Amino acid sequence: LGALLLASLRARRRRITRRLPQFHSASIPDVDEGMSMINTVVGDLPRQSRTAFKPSQLAEALLHYTAPAAQEKRRKMMMKLSDRLGCQRVNCENQLAHLDSLLLSHLSEARGDYVKAIDDLHSSLLQSHKRWRLHTTLRGQAEASALAETHATASARDIAENQPRDPWGERPNTAVQLEEVALYLLLWGEAANLRFMPELLCFLFELARAYTAREEVRERGDDTTRGDHQGPGSYLEMVVKPVYACIFHETFADVEADGTPMPLDAEVMPEYPRNYDDWNEAFWSLESLAKLKTHAGEPVMNAQPAERWPLLKQANWEDFLHSSCQKTHRELRWWTGLIASNRRIFLLHALSFGGCFIAVANVTPHWDFHGWYGLAALPPLLMLAPFSAVFGQAFESWTSQDLRSQKRFQAFAMLGVIVLVAGGAVFYVQASVPFWRFERSMRPCMDAECERLQAPFWLMVLFWLCFTVLVMSSGWILLEFLPQSASPAAFDANLLFERRTTALLRKRIRVPGTCRLRKELVAWLKMH
């Protein structure tokens, strides 16, 4: 069977190789020429035919777009964008490999359809920029010419063809999409920790896209003047480092010789330091972006869209960030979230400790507990798992506030009350009846003296009923430790808990000027 399988694989490989003679020749087709061939295989087929796509056709597309000619064309495109933006050479090489990997991955998902692969890649990377752009409606604030207005919305290829259109309203051509993906990867590659500020990256991409569009027009037209290119490394030195320096000095003073940051002294450390989310809010609206100025006092947003990127490298980031960024989210740390998230770990430790206590108490003479020894700790031990589950449901109900979680909490709370009553009854019997008397009550008695020493019958019935409930509830331990699927609100449970508790702490429980209490009092008591 192995020999037959190997022979069939070799025969299939020979058939695929015979279908691709052009890729083994010395002359490798250009990307644009290969597109027509791939479109005849994939791009022009109806939707019903694409579902029957054969692996050999995918192999053709992958071989074509990994050919040296195609890779060299992408390298030239990446180098040209890198020179315009002032990116480092090593970043250009890294992002070229990154682009090739993403392209091959999306080509495989699209079954060799190059147009669909680029479109999917463009959408996945730049969907956040689309939402940010629609939110801010980024346009020139100054009176702009028709060409400058076009730069704010159109891409380089559209301008060159005198067909201005919004690439988000109508899909641009594939070459433009690939250029925009490469442009975003170059900016992202050197952003370092600024990647935690996605709106900042969207802002940089918008300005860089308008600037590279103007440079593309200059190169395609008669204008041979070179743009304001600062050379490799200028993007890192003039944009990334100044922005990060403002963020770094919010909580750190300097860097030691071994590279360890030195925190600020307690006297100058802010009570609530601004983090990446707070700095990122400066790029949420045009009102805050209007405060961005150069060191000479020129507003960056007053310039035409294509002229903003060079001004960005002269921007006074320190004044802009400190005047535009306010601390809006003050984080509070609660033990409740930690315990609820790790309650099963704490339950495991508590059960282990309880088991060890029972084993030690049985061999310790002065720990007799009315003769029950370690058995006295058995009822509380059996009650731990139900109480842990009730606490987990209470935390989820408090955070999500939906009907499903509240009903689950009510059901768990009722079972928890039953277990609590049963555990209290068993503990009462253990405290009031010594073990020797309890043991004698379990044996038949023939005389009056023996019956007098036995425990009351109703007490024995109560004990065994409640103890049976506790033993049945011990199955809850198994349910707690079995793999559990997370609820829909589990991912944001800690965030929602912090948000609600913070809002309650900021509210007044008593109506000002009166003795009346607000309805939030009940929620406030539940919180504590």
Side-chain angles (χ1 to χ4, degrees):
L1 290 176
L4 290 175
L5 180 60
L6 182 61
S8 63
L9 291 176
R10 288 181 176 177
R12 181 175 179 79
R13 183 178 180 181
R14 284 195 298 269
R15 289 198 302 270
I16 295 177
T17 305
R18 284 197 298 269
R19 294 188 58 185
L20 307 172
Q22 65 274 22
F23 295 110
H24 299 277
S25 60
S27 60
I28 299 176
D30 189 69
V31 176
D32 295 332
E33 298 175 0
M35 271 300 301
S36 60
M37 179 193 67
I38 297 298
N39 284 336
T40 58
V41 177
V42 180
D44 297 332
L45 292 178
R47 185 175 299 273
Q48 293 79 4
S49 301
R50 294 190 184 188
T51 57
F53 189 73
K54 297 180 180 179
S56 59
Q57 296 171 334
L58 175 59
E60 291 180 14
L62 295 179
L63 286 174
H64 177 75
Y65 289 106
T66 55
Q71 291 182 342
E72 183 62 25
K73 192 168 184 178
R74 290 194 294 270
R75 178 184 295 275
K76 290 180 180 179
M77 175 196 66
M78 192 74 86
M79 293 295 292
K80 181 173 62 175
L81 293 174
S82 177
D83 292 340
R84 292 173 181 171
L85 300 178
C87 296
Q88 302 176 86
R89 296 295 184 187
V90 63
N91 176 50
C92 181
E93 295 295 334
N94 290 339
Q95 298 309 317
L96 177 61
H98 191 184
L99 177 63
D100 290 343
S101 176
L102 291 174
L103 178 59
L104 292 180
S105 177
H106 282 77
L107 269 175
S108 300
E109 293 181 2
R111 297 183 178 183
D113 190 340
Y114 181 78
V115 176
K116 185 178 184 302
I118 295 297
D119 191 58
D120 292 343
L121 175 59
H122 185 272
S123 299
S124 62
L125 279 182
L126 299 177
Q127 185 67 28
S128 59
H129 172 261
K130 174 184 177 181
R131 292 194 296 265
W132 172 85
R133 195 171 184 276
L134 294 176
H135 174 71
T136 57
T137 60
L138 189 56
R139 306 291 187 199
Q141 291 185 352
E143 190 71 20
S145 63
L147 181 61
E149 291 176 355
T150 305
H151 284 325
T153 57
S155 54
R157 181 66 61 85
D158 298 329
I159 297 172
E161 296 174 353
N162 295 321
Q163 297 176 356
R165 61 174 183 262
D166 193 329
W168 303 115
E170 181 180 354
R171 192 186 72 182
N173 58 64
T174 304
V176 173
Q177 287 182 314
L178 185 62
E179 289 180 4
E180 291 182 350
V181 169
L183 178 65
Y184 181 82
L185 291 179
L186 286 172
L187 296 174
W188 177 86
E190 294 190 38
N193 283 20
L194 301 188
R195 297 171 187 171
F196 296 119
M197 303 167 61
E199 276 76 9
L200 168 61
L201 291 182
C202 293
F203 174 69
L204 296 178
F205 173 76
E206 179 69 22
L207 269 58
R209 186 174 66 165
Y211 174 71
T212 55
R214 195 270 308 273
E215 295 301 304
E216 183 75 14
V217 173
R218 284 183 174 180
E219 293 181 5
R220 291 171 179 266
D222 297 332
D223 188 0
T224 58
T225 58
R226 190 174 183 269
D228 187 15
H229 300 172
Q230 300 291 336
S234 61
Y235 166 60
L236 177 65
E237 295 293 334
M238 299 182 180
V239 178
V240 176
K241 284 187 176 181
V243 176
Y244 182 72
C246 298
I247 301 173
F248 178 82
H249 289 105
E250 178 76 3
T251 52
F252 297 99
D254 206 345
V255 180
E256 297 180 358
D258 58 352
T260 304
M262 295 186 298
L264 293 173
D265 296 334
E267 296 79 13
V268 295
M269 176 73 75
E271 182 180 3
Y272 294 103
R274 288 169 287 190
N275 53 24
Y276 288 103
D277 293 334
D278 300 307
W279 300 109
N280 192 45
E281 290 185 13
F283 304 91
W284 280 11
S285 64
L286 287 176
E287 289 77 13
S288 58
L289 289 174
K291 301 177 183 178
L292 179 60
K293 300 179 180 179
T294 64
H295 287 281
E298 180 183 358
V300 173
M301 297 304 296
N302 283 354
Q304 296 183 359
E307 302 293 338
R308 292 170 184 167
W309 178 260
L311 294 178
L312 204 63
K313 298 183 179 181
Q314 309 169 21
N316 190 344
W317 290 105
E318 185 175 0
D319 289 349
F320 167 68
L321 291 174
H322 284 87
S323 62
S324 303
C325 300
Q326 304 297 327
K327 183 65 178 178
T328 58
H329 177 64
R330 290 174 172 82
E331 300 176 357
L332 297 176
R333 294 292 180 260
W334 291 75
W335 283 101
T336 314
L338 175 65
I339 297 175
S341 301
N342 303 279
R343 60 184 177 84
R344 295 200 292 173
I345 299 178
F346 296 132
L347 176 62
L348 178 62
H349 283 272
L351 291 175
S352 302
F353 177 79
C356 294
F357 178 83
I358 292 175
V360 172
N362 287 331
V363 295
T364 306
H366 57 279
W367 287 1
D368 57 343
F369 299 109
H370 280 217
W372 291 89
Y373 290 95
L375 294 178
L378 189 59
L381 195 65
L382 296 177
M383 294 163 59
L384 287 177
F387 286 167
S388 173
V390 172
F391 174 73
Q393 292 299 322
F395 180 79
E396 183 179 338
S397 174
W398 170 265
T399 55
S400 58
Q401 292 292 297
D402 59 346
L403 184 60
R404 171 185 171 276
S405 61
Q406 291 181 6
K407 285 186 175 181
R408 284 176 59 87
F409 168 67
Q410 292 173 2
F412 276 64
M414 292 179 61
L415 295 176
V417 169
I418 295 175
V419 172
L420 178 62
V421 171
V426 172
F427 187 76
Y428 170 76
V429 172
Q430 289 179 330
S432 58
V433 179
F435 184 75
W436 65 267
R437 190 177 180 186
F438 176 84
E439 190 178 19
R440 178 168 294 184
S441 303
M442 299 295 297
R443 297 195 299 263
C445 195
M446 300 300 180
D447 54 358
E449 182 65 21
C450 181
E451 292 180 357
R452 187 179 63 82
L453 295 177
Q454 287 183 340
F457 177 76
W458 67 270
L459 205 60
M460 297 297 297
V461 173
L462 176 65
F463 175 85
W464 285 114
L465 285 177
C466 296
F467 190 76
T468 303
V469 173
L470 288 181
V471 172
M472 294 176 62
S473 68
S474 64
W476 222 327
I477 299 177
L478 180 61
L479 294 178
E480 280 289 283
F481 291 121
L482 285 176
Q484 299 178 7
S485 58
S487 62
F491 181 77
D492 295 328
N494 288 327
L495 179 61
L496 294 173
F497 177 83
E498 181 179 344
R499 181 183 302 171
R500 190 173 183 211
T501 50
T502 304
L504 279 176
L505 288 176
R506 293 176 180 174
K507 288 184 178 180
R508 295 184 178 180
I509 304 302
R510 183 175 60 85
V511 179
T514 64
C515 296
R516 292 186 293 108
L517 299 176
R518 296 182 183 271
K519 61 181 181 180
E520 286 84 0
L521 176 62
V522 177
W524 189 83
L525 293 175
K526 287 181 179 179
M527 175 184 67
H528 286 82

